[in-house]
Amino acid sequence: MHAAQFDYERPATVDEAIALLKRHGDDAKLLAGGHSLIPAMKLRLARPKVVVDIGRIANLSYIREADGSIAIGAMTTHQEIEASTVLRDHSPLLAETAAHIGDIQVRNKGTIGGSLAHADPAADYPAPILALDAEIDLVGPGGRRTVKASAFFVDLLQTAIAPDEILVEIRVPATAKTVAYVKTEQKASGFALVGAAVVIGANGVRIGITGVAAKAYRATAVEDVLATNGTPTPAGIALAAAHAADGVEPLGDIHASAEFRAHLAQVNTRRAIERALQRA
Ligand SMILES: Cc1cc2nc3c(=O)[nH]c(=O)nc-3n(C[C@H](O)[C@H](O)[C@H](O)COP(=O)(O)OP(=O)(O)OC[C@H]3O[C@@H](n4cnc5c(N)ncnc54)[C@H](O)[C@@H]3O)c2cc1C
């Protein structure tokens, strides 16, 4: 099936792209790697009148370390994240996660900015983005602002990005080495039935879970039990992980029932904590 007819714009700068979003309002959609937008347009789930291709804007694709953080440009592809020695050496969780996304064609074209902006409930990055307590920079007509990961994912396919804003950069701590991502994927697409990301740091454990509910979430109930129990034992980890779906409404679909997703959340969270501890 072909997409409905649309106009195509290719701005050279972020400012030009924002001006186009302002001018066309709800009729416009940004195009990054196209691996979520184009399928949605072909299925007529999205029918933008104007597609604003941000693929030729300079300086939106980079991975660099500065001031204790690693900054990642929004147009950086999954493959570039997977292969980044800066990330693998200093903060390997996103690189580990990127290796789990789709297949090589998807990883070569899809971008971290596009994935976060799309906020698919089965996308992989939201889990590590929450566990890393990442910062996300958005630019709009009013300038640049930073949104914490905890405030970024609003609901199913909804984020804190305003219609005339562009996600430009993601920052993660440069010192998160005791980490792990454990995913059970939907076999045909690779999307997460459930993915659990764990970061163990001096201030405790942070856990992000994707695939279970309408939006990815921090498993704070698990984090709290681990914080209360002190040095984790195998039995203590299992007891804590049993709270992985507390307070959320698991989704069921043709790929997995809500009960199975809640169960997988517990199993993958336990495995991710154990794997991260082995790397400590
Ligand atoms: C066969 C297949 C398998 C896949 N498997 C997986 C998987 O296992 N795990 C997974 O996580 N994902 C998977 N994906 C999705 C893939 O990772 C997409 O690349 C990603 O979700 C979207 O990124 P994109 O760059 O392609 O964005 P696009 O499709 O270009 O855009 C997606 C949405 O985000 C908006 N947008 C894009 N960039 C920005 C920006 N900088 N600022 C604001 N809004 C923006 C667009 O307007 C659009 O609404 C799969 C996709 C396919 C086709």
Side-chain angles (χ1 to χ4, degrees):
M1 194 169 178
H2 295 291
Q5 210 171 355
F6 58 88
D7 289 336
Y8 175 78
E9 298 277 4
R10 205 172 68 192
T13 65
V14 169
D15 285 349
E16 276 179 39
I18 292 166
L20 286 162
L21 290 180
K22 251 191 108 158
R23 189 180 323 149
H24 297 290
D26 288 345
D27 289 338
K29 269 272 178 209
L30 296 175
L31 175 72
H35 271 55
S36 291
L37 182 61
I38 301 293
M41 287 171 64
K42 285 183 169 179
L43 292 167
R44 311 280 165 119
L45 297 171
R47 294 185 76 146
K49 293 202 177 107
V50 184
V51 168
V52 179
D53 182 353
I54 55 173
R56 303 294 171 92
I57 296 179
N59 301 325
L60 279 182
S61 176
Y62 55 83
I63 300 173
R64 51 182 175 240
E65 197 190 347
D67 304 326
S69 293
I70 298 173
I72 304 166
M75 286 298 293
T76 307
T77 64
H78 311 327
Q79 190 280 329
E80 287 162 340
I81 288 172
E82 177 185 358
S84 163
T85 48
V86 175
L87 283 170
R88 288 201 172 269
D89 289 348
H90 300 284
S91 190
L93 186 57
L94 283 178
E96 181 181 1
T97 303
H100 285 274
I101 295 177
D103 52 34
I104 188 64
Q105 284 97 332
V106 174
R107 295 197 292 279
N108 273 338
K109 289 298 288 180
T111 66
I112 186 167
S115 176
L116 294 177
H118 192 55
D120 191 303
D124 287 286
Y125 287 131
I129 287 294
L130 286 164
L132 288 162
D133 208 14
E135 292 182 332
I136 297 159
D137 276 10
L138 311 175
V139 178
R144 188 167 177 135
R145 67 186 177 113
T146 299
V147 178
K148 296 287 283 181
S150 53
F152 182 77
F153 302 104
V154 174
D155 206 343
L156 187 89
L157 304 176
Q158 284 177 41
T159 70
I161 307 173
D164 54 5
E165 283 184 318
I166 298 180
L167 193 166
V168 290
E169 184 177 280
I170 300 102
R171 283 183 304 282
V172 296
T175 50
K177 287 195 172 174
T178 309
V179 297
Y181 182 61
V182 173
K183 166 186 182 181
T184 305
E185 79 271 18
Q186 198 271 316
K187 294 294 175 202
S189 68
F191 273 106
L193 290 180
V194 173
V198 167
V199 174
I200 300 178
N203 297 325
V205 181
R206 283 196 306 266
I207 300 164
I209 298 188
T210 190
V212 176
K215 62 169 184 161
Y217 61 94
R218 277 274 294 279
T220 47
V222 183
E223 296 174 7
D224 291 345
V225 176
L226 289 171
T228 312
N229 288 355
T231 310
T233 60
I237 293 169
L239 276 176
H243 296 278
D246 282 10
V248 300
E249 208 172 303
L251 299 176
D253 59 18
I254 54 164
H255 304 302
S257 67
E259 293 75 19
F260 186 49
R261 280 197 163 86
H263 173 71
L264 278 181
Q266 299 176 7
V267 173
N268 289 356
T269 298
R270 174 174 57 73
R271 289 183 179 159
I273 298 168
E274 289 168 351
R275 192 174 295 173
L277 282 170
Q278 282 162 12
R279 294 169 174 170

